[in-house]
Amino acid sequence: MRRLQSRFRLTLREAQVAMCVARGQANGEVATELGIREKTVKNALMAVFLKCRVRNRVELALKAHDAPIGDEVLRVSAADLIPAPLGDSA
């Protein structure tokens, strides 16, 4: 996570939010995992977008996948970004 913080000059909270979003988590899921309000997630995410020069969560995830920036983010793959077909119980 320190590499993520130093590379894009993110705060610890911004780095945490960025890694959760890069794994495909929704704002509410991020808020629950980090024990913060959803509004805090949204604010941190806007700062992350600016600092990482991305326009949306998909670009953030792709940047994290293409240029590894933290151990947790390294686990993101293109398959993580594609929803499972309806009725798929896997």
Side-chain angles (χ1 to χ4, degrees), residues 61 75 81:
R75 296 186 194 112
L81 303 175

Side-chain angles (χ1 to χ4, degrees), residues 7-55:
R7 181 171 179 187
F8 295 105
R9 299 184 185 267
L10 301 179
T11 65
L12 175 60
R13 178 64 73 206
E14 291 166 350
Q16 292 169 328
V17 169
M19 287 192 295
C20 289
V21 169
R23 287 193 305 255
Q25 292 179 277
N27 290 354
E29 294 170 322
V30 175
T32 299
E33 180 174 322
L34 299 179
I36 58 178
R37 293 176 181 229
E38 195 167 340
K39 178 67 174 166
T40 304
V41 172
K42 291 177 184 179
N43 289 338
L45 200 49
M46 289 301 109
V48 169
F49 287 171
L50 287 172
K51 291 178 180 181
C52 293
R53 297 183 179 167
V54 297
R55 292 174 289 197

Side-chain angles (χ1 to χ4, degrees), residues 22 61-62 65-66 73-83:
L62 290 173
H65 177 56
D66 291 341
V73 179
L74 288 173
R75 296 186 194 112
V76 174
S77 70
D80 294 328
L81 303 175
I82 301 169

